[in-house]
């Protein structure tokens, strides 16, 4: 089971093989949303018209208020043109009519993981984060990191992160910063500043004029097997938005240099 929560904890989105509604008989992992205050469970991984999906759906991420959920699925029947044979990312608006009640059935969804010009990716895609207001959906296709703008229907950012993006992540509250986790030679935090020139327009990535994405390696520099073990500790959900991650660029040694207990640990960087 994979789980994500809205900011106030009211909405829970998750993927599971368990049958949470009577019509779920496909025997595959589906994505559901629960409104705890209304005791209402809704299946989100449905084809147009509410037809049950025929693929494995998972890795849900959700906006702050629980309205917009993004997930990946292997179901080629979500859209008629899906012929790439790999996972794609879709975003569901649980309140498409804007009446404040998250009750839309069947759900209204948007195919997010499309290259500029509309071509399909040839590698599997997975969601990374949804902005607080639900406008921006970040996703990755191997080392390609992209941000989809639901307001315009286009990708606002498509860049190579230089390594596979393997973790979910988080936008800062104003959606200026996006942070996630990559895995190259070691666990690596990836941070994007989308407004380096501070003009209020989220149109940059990394440095001024679209310079490189900020890649910060933060491990103890051990062998790949050690780094892979540590990946499980940090790749679940990490918030590194805002200025906090800039401190990692300094010369101070990260705390896992003294970590020799041989078990998983949780770290906080301030």
């Amino acid at each position: 089971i994979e789980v994500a929560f809205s900011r106030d904890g009211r909405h829970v989105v998750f993927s599971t093989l368990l049958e949470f509604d009577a019509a779920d008989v496909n025997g595959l992992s589906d994505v559901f949303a629960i409104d705890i205050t209304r005791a209402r469970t809704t299946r989100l991984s449905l084809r147009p018209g509410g037809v049950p999906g025929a693929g494995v759906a998972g890795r849900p991420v959700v906006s702050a208020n629980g309205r917009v959920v993004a997930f990946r699925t292997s179901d080629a029947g979500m859209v008629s043109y899906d012929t790439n044979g790999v996972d794609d990312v879709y975003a569901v608006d649980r309140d498409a009519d804007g009446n404040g009640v998250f009750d839309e059935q069947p759900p209204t969804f948007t195919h997010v993981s499309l290259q500029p010009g509309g071509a399909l990716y040839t590698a599997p895609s997975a969601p990374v984060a949804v902005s607080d207001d639900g406008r921006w959906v970040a996703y990755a296709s191997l080392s390609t990191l992209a941000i989809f703008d639901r307001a315009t229907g286009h990708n606002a950012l498509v860049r190579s992160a230089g390594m596979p993006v393997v973790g979910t992540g988080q936008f800062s509250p104003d959606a200026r910063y996006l942070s996630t986790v990559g895995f190259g030679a070691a666990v690596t935090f990836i941070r994007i500043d989308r407004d380096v020139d501070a003009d209020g327009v989220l149109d940059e990535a990394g440095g001024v004029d679209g310079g490189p994405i900020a890649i910060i390696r933060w491990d103890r520099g051990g062998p790949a097997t050690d780094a892979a073990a540590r990946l499980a500790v940090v790749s679940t959900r990490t918030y590194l938005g805002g200025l906090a991650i800039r401190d990692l660029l300094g010369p101070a040694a990260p705390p896992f240099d003294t970590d020799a207990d041989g078990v998983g640990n949780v770290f906080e960087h301030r």
Side-chain angles (χ1 to χ4, degrees):
I1 188 168
E2 300 167 299
V3 183
F5 298 87
S6 63
R7 186 68 50 81
D8 62 2
R10 172 178 173 175
H11 300 277
V12 184
V13 295
F14 61 97
S15 62
T16 180
L17 284 165
L18 298 177
E19 299 172 358
F20 269 77
D21 67 48
D24 182 14
V25 294
N26 61 7
L28 302 170
S29 176
D30 282 288
V31 173
F32 297 86
I34 296 178
D35 182 341
I36 293 175
T37 62
R38 301 179 64 205
R40 179 186 178 93
T41 303
T42 305
R43 182 157 48 142
L44 303 180
S45 50
L46 294 170
R47 292 180 176 183
V51 177
V56 175
R59 191 161 155 172
V61 292
V62 63
S63 61
N65 67 353
R67 173 172 171 170
V68 177
V69 178
F71 61 89
R72 67 181 177 189
T73 179
S74 62
D75 186 5
M78 297 288 286
V79 290
S80 60
Y81 52 83
D82 184 3
T83 57
N84 59 4
V86 297
D87 286 5
D88 287 281
V89 177
Y90 294 86
V92 172
D93 185 350
R94 299 175 61 208
D95 185 24
D97 59 12
N99 67 353
V101 181
F102 298 172
D103 59 354
E104 264 70 343
Q105 280 291 297
T108 301
F109 64 83
T110 302
H111 189 187
V112 169
S113 53
L114 292 171
Q115 299 183 51
L120 296 165
Y121 284 95
T122 57
S125 298
V128 172
V130 180
S131 63
D132 280 13
D133 62 2
R135 173 175 176 177
W136 310 96
V137 179
Y139 66 93
S141 179
L142 293 183
S143 61
T144 298
L145 186 60
I147 299 176
F148 182 81
D149 184 354
R150 293 182 58 250
T152 64
H154 296 94
N155 282 296
L157 164 74
V158 179
R159 295 182 67 82
S160 173
M163 67 193 70
V165 177
V166 296
T168 55
Q170 191 161 330
F171 283 98
S172 58
D174 61 359
R176 172 174 174 173
Y177 299 97
L178 171 67
S179 297
T180 185
V181 180
F183 185 59
V187 177
T188 303
F189 294 127
I190 300 169
R191 174 185 182 266
I192 296 173
D193 183 352
R194 304 174 61 208
D195 188 19
V196 174
D197 58 11
D199 65 354
V201 181
L202 303 179
D203 58 357
E204 289 127 31
V208 177
D209 298 325
I213 289 175
I215 304 287
I216 300 95
R217 175 171 167 161
W218 194 38
D219 69 354
R220 69 180 187 181
T225 53
D226 179 72
R230 294 177 187 281
L231 183 62
V233 179
V234 298
S235 66
T236 302
R237 184 165 293 277
T238 308
Y239 177 70
L240 294 167
L243 301 178
I245 197 169
R246 290 185 181 174
D247 298 338
L248 300 179
L249 296 171
F256 4 116
D257 280 349
T258 58
D259 175 21
D261 59 14
V263 297
N265 292 279
V266 176
F267 296 92
E268 179 183 23
H269 180 76
R270 293 181 179 271

